Amino acid sequence: MNVGKTHIFLDNSNIFGGAQRTAREKESVPWQSVRVDYQNLFSLIRRKRKSVGFSMLAGSVPPGNDALWGAAKTAGFDTTLLRRVEDDDGRLVEQGVDEVIHLKIGNTLLDEDIPGTLVILTGDGADTEQGSSFTKQVDRAAKRGWKVEIWSWRVQLSPRLRDMRIKHPDNVAVHFLDEWYWGLIFIKGGTYKVKTDGLYEDLLVDGRHTHGIRLTDEAFRDSEDHEPFG
């Protein structure tokens, strides 16, 4: 029996934003100090994958983040770097990142003759201005016989995206990265400006390294979402 390949898609901005939100709950540290150990993340996602096809990391280009892109390329990820653009109110915002990943997922579904597994790291279930979404791509994949694994931080997972597990229980699984928080997140020590009672003040933060990451079958079972809805 022919078994299709596993293809990995990492929405870096969403995963990083979820890490910051999760860290505030677990450690009460300022978001500026939160970092993701991408080597451990890649080891986690690629565990026991025997036939990995296309792997992609997409996100905006933040300053001073060359180490991330280097680690991603070393791990075999195609890195699609999109620069932020200035919004009408002067803020720098992402443009086209989600659409690029949606397109690559769609191309994979069209190009592969044998259904395999999509591993999608994001919690984003919203439609873009162009009408595409991770939710729709997961739905399309499941209808075509693909297995889909959604990996997200619990606080970041959209109910719309999570609903795909209920709609396609035989094809879609959800895993929460929270199970490996201490092995995926480290804190960069330093002095950070935080807002307290409307005023900014300097806060000295102690650094923290990641702990060992547990890559056991038990940990993977514990990370899977089995909670009923409603």
Side-chain angles (χ1 to χ4, degrees):
M1 178 180 177
N2 292 328
V3 179
K5 296 178 181 178
T6 296
H7 305 271
I8 303 172
F9 301 89
L10 171 54
D11 176 6
N12 184 63
S13 299
N14 189 273
I15 292 299
F16 188 69
Q20 292 174 327
R21 292 179 64 190
T22 304
R24 285 200 298 269
E25 292 184 357
K26 289 185 175 290
E27 302 187 72
S28 299
V29 293
W31 64 265
Q32 303 97 317
S33 67
V34 177
R35 301 290 186 275
V36 175
D37 186 325
Y38 285 93
Q39 297 285 10
N40 282 354
L41 179 60
F42 298 150
S43 296
L44 169 64
I45 295 303
R46 291 201 163 190
R47 172 186 176 270
K48 291 188 176 182
R49 311 279 187 191
K50 294 182 178 179
S51 181
V52 177
F54 183 70
S55 296
M56 173 186 183
L57 182 151
S60 298
V61 185
N65 216 7
D66 293 340
L68 161 59
W69 309 124
K73 290 179 180 179
T74 299
F77 280 72
D78 174 59
T79 55
T80 298
L81 312 181
L82 300 175
R83 300 208 174 268
R84 293 178 184 267
V85 297
E86 188 171 328
D87 202 358
D88 293 338
D89 60 3
R91 295 181 300 114
L92 291 178
V93 297
E94 287 188 346
Q95 185 177 52
V97 174
D98 290 345
E99 288 87 345
V100 168
I101 309 178
H102 302 161
L103 174 62
K104 293 288 188 180
I105 293 174
N107 287 347
T108 299
L109 298 180
L110 290 172
D111 293 342
E112 294 293 320
D113 295 327
I114 302 172
T117 300
L118 297 181
V119 179
I120 304 176
L121 287 87
T122 189
D124 186 359
D127 290 344
T128 67
E129 292 181 0
Q130 288 71 34
S132 67
S133 70
F134 288 105
T135 304
K136 291 178 180 178
Q137 297 301 61
V138 170
D139 191 39
R140 291 182 177 112
K143 288 177 179 177
R144 287 162 174 77
W146 283 71
K147 298 293 186 182
V148 182
E149 297 177 17
I150 300 168
W151 290 74
S152 175
W153 299 102
R154 189 177 290 272
V155 298
Q156 198 79 349
L157 181 59
S158 160
R160 285 187 61 196
L161 190 57
R162 191 181 177 205
D163 279 347
M164 290 296 102
R165 178 177 69 79
I166 302 301
K167 185 175 182 179
H168 303 287
D170 295 330
N171 293 79
V172 179
V174 172
H175 291 270
F176 291 118
L177 294 169
D178 305 58
E179 177 68 25
W180 295 277
Y181 174 82
W182 300 103
L184 294 177
I185 302 302
F186 65 96
I187 304 301
K188 184 177 180 180
T191 301
Y192 299 91
K193 287 193 176 298
V194 296
K195 195 172 185 179
T196 304
D197 297 329
L199 298 175
Y200 284 95
E201 60 182 26
D202 291 335
L203 176 66
L204 180 62
V205 176
D206 293 330
R208 176 184 63 75
H209 297 292
T210 53
H211 300 182
I213 190 165
R214 191 167 62 110
L215 300 178
T216 63
D217 291 341
E218 181 185 11
F220 278 77
R221 287 193 299 268
D222 290 344
S223 74
E224 192 167 354
D225 179 27
H226 294 293
E227 295 179 10
F229 282 50

